Amino acid sequence: MNITDSEVFVDTKFLLHRVKFSILLILQIPAFILSLLIFFFFIKHRTIREAPHNRALLILLIVNFIQLSFTLPLNLHFYAVGYVSPAIPTFCTWWTFFEFTLYVTSEYLMATISVQRHLLVFNGHILRIRWKRILFHHLPLVFCLSYPIIFYFFAIILYPCDGSQYDYTNNLCGFADCYLLFNKVLGTFDWAFNNGLPMVINAVANIMLIVRVVQQKRRQQRPVTWKQQRRMTVQLFCISSLYLAAWSPSLIVGVVQILGFPTFLAAVQTDYFLDLIYIVCLFLPWIYIGLLPELLIWIKTLCHCQQRHNAVGTVVTRTQLHILQ
């Protein structure tokens, strides 16, 4: 590569980073604000918050909010300056630990919600029994929150490595954790079990749920109303589709690379497909607003009350001015 080619490459990278920074920042701010509004809504509406089909969604939103507030700003900082700062192995180790943990926690929560939705739609009475509620609802959620932390603590934090493999010119230090580079078995397990399996469960559970709901509507033999079934089904389908759209490109390319073509779309994977994963945390709050009618009504009420308050304040101010005159 001559000097001209090198300069063009650097300029292209710089432009790509600036575009990514702008897009992520523009999408992050409203997503952050919407997440806060949703939290306030759940705090003020205890009945809605404690509904079984909303409890897991609230946990998912909390994990998503952590990504918006703590890990996404690190990505924004990289795209703003063009390099990892501070450029030390310890920073990369902990950054990838938190990033990978939140990724997989979010995926497993979505897969668990997809499976649990079958119980809520067709066998909701089971969760009224305490031990069954703990077994089928609480314990899977505890697993989703604890397993990723334990796995990546051993795979990233405790894995013997000197840190010299990190690439400080690429986002997330080049995804160059030692277990991914030097332990093919563990790396393949991570990609297949921690990333691929939840997406497969997610897709299969959604397809089966749609089929069962259609059959249920035809038979009309269950006590659960069709309206409630449709609402919970649409809610799950929209959120699951967001995950599938964000993760499918990188997962498909990753499978092809694992099967024996390590350079297949490598540049596209690094520069574009891996960034699509951010779609989840950036658009999830918007989906919540569209799928919780009570939340949308509450937000409209807040806006209406604020407008009335501003209107009253304006009238009072004008009256005072008129009296002074």
Side-chain angles (χ1 to χ4, degrees):
M1 180 182 292
N2 56 39
I3 297 178
T4 304
D5 293 337
S6 178
E7 291 176 349
V8 171
F9 176 77
V10 172
D11 290 342
T12 303
K13 272 288 186 181
F14 176 79
L15 179 61
L16 181 62
H17 287 173
R18 302 306 292 182
V19 170
K20 289 181 179 181
F21 173 81
S22 301
I23 293 175
L24 290 176
L25 184 62
I26 290 172
L27 295 176
Q28 182 201 26
I29 295 174
F32 182 86
I33 296 173
L34 285 175
S35 297
L36 291 178
L37 284 175
I38 296 171
F39 286 138
F40 288 140
F41 169 78
F42 277 123
I43 291 173
K44 286 183 170 292
H45 299 80
R46 180 179 178 182
T47 304
I48 298 175
R49 181 180 71 245
E50 295 182 352
H53 60 281
N54 288 332
R55 192 178 299 123
L57 293 178
L58 177 58
I59 296 175
L60 179 62
L61 185 66
I62 292 174
V63 173
N64 192 78
F65 185 75
I66 295 174
Q67 290 179 284
L68 278 174
S69 306
F70 296 99
T71 59
L72 188 59
L74 296 178
N75 296 280
L76 284 168
H77 180 261
F78 169 80
Y79 289 131
V81 300
Y83 55 87
V84 176
S85 178
I88 56 176
T90 303
F91 177 76
C92 289
T93 298
W94 285 101
W95 184 12
T96 53
F97 167 74
F98 286 114
E99 192 90 24
F100 290 4
T101 299
L102 291 172
Y103 280 160
V104 175
T105 300
S106 180
E107 286 184 89
Y108 266 94
L109 280 172
M110 190 65 253
T112 300
I113 292 171
S114 299
V115 175
Q116 289 182 343
R117 194 53 55 102
H118 285 260
L119 285 176
L120 294 170
V121 172
F122 299 102
N123 305 100
H125 61 280
I126 291 179
L127 298 181
R128 298 172 187 170
I129 303 173
R130 188 172 183 271
W131 72 268
K132 290 185 178 181
R133 184 168 64 251
I134 294 175
L135 179 63
F136 295 113
H137 189 266
H138 297 340
L139 287 181
L141 296 177
V142 172
F143 171 81
C144 294
L145 296 174
S146 58
Y147 164 73
I149 296 176
I150 296 172
F151 176 85
Y152 288 112
F153 183 77
F154 283 96
I156 297 178
I157 304 299
L158 298 183
Y159 196 95
C161 194
D162 60 5
S164 59
Q165 80 287 352
Y166 286 118
D167 181 3
Y168 302 113
T169 63
N170 278 315
N171 191 27
L172 263 175
C173 305
F175 295 84
D177 292 281
C178 287
Y179 81 97
L180 292 175
L181 296 179
F182 308 125
N183 192 327
K184 188 174 182 179
V185 174
L186 188 58
T188 303
F189 173 84
D190 178 39
W191 193 255
F193 188 80
N194 293 339
N195 297 121
L197 181 61
M199 290 299 104
V200 173
I201 294 175
N202 189 8
V204 173
N206 274 272
I207 294 173
M208 291 180 60
L209 182 62
I210 293 173
V211 171
R212 293 183 68 183
V213 166
V214 172
Q215 293 177 345
Q216 170 69 15
K217 183 184 178 182
R218 292 177 178 177
R219 295 173 184 173
Q220 293 292 329
Q221 294 178 350
R222 299 280 184 179
V224 182
T225 64
W226 162 244
K227 183 178 180 181
Q228 182 180 1
Q229 288 178 333
R230 182 179 61 184
R231 177 179 172 181
M232 288 194 290
T233 303
V234 171
Q235 185 184 59
L236 176 65
F237 179 78
C238 292
I239 299 176
S240 299
S241 298
L242 179 66
Y243 276 79
L244 292 172
W247 278 93
S248 293
S250 61
L251 288 175
I252 293 173
V253 171
V255 169
V256 175
Q257 292 175 346
I258 290 172
L259 292 177
F261 303 92
T263 60
F264 176 74
L265 294 180
V268 177
Q269 176 85 315
T270 302
D271 291 336
Y272 300 101
F273 286 167
L274 290 174
D275 289 316
L276 287 178
I277 300 173
Y278 301 132
I279 289 177
V280 174
C281 66
L282 293 171
F283 286 94
L284 189 63
W286 292 96
I287 291 182
Y288 273 57
I289 285 200
L291 296 177
L292 294 174
E294 303 89 351
L295 172 62
L296 190 57
I297 294 173
W298 181 72
I299 292 177
K300 289 181 179 179
T301 303
L302 283 180
C303 295
H304 181 67
C305 291
Q306 184 65 31
Q307 290 175 355
R308 290 182 58 186
H309 176 75
N310 292 338
V312 171
T314 302
V315 172
V316 171
T317 302
R318 289 178 177 175
T319 303
Q320 291 173 343
L321 288 174
H322 179 73
I323 294 175
L324 292 174
Q325 291 175 354

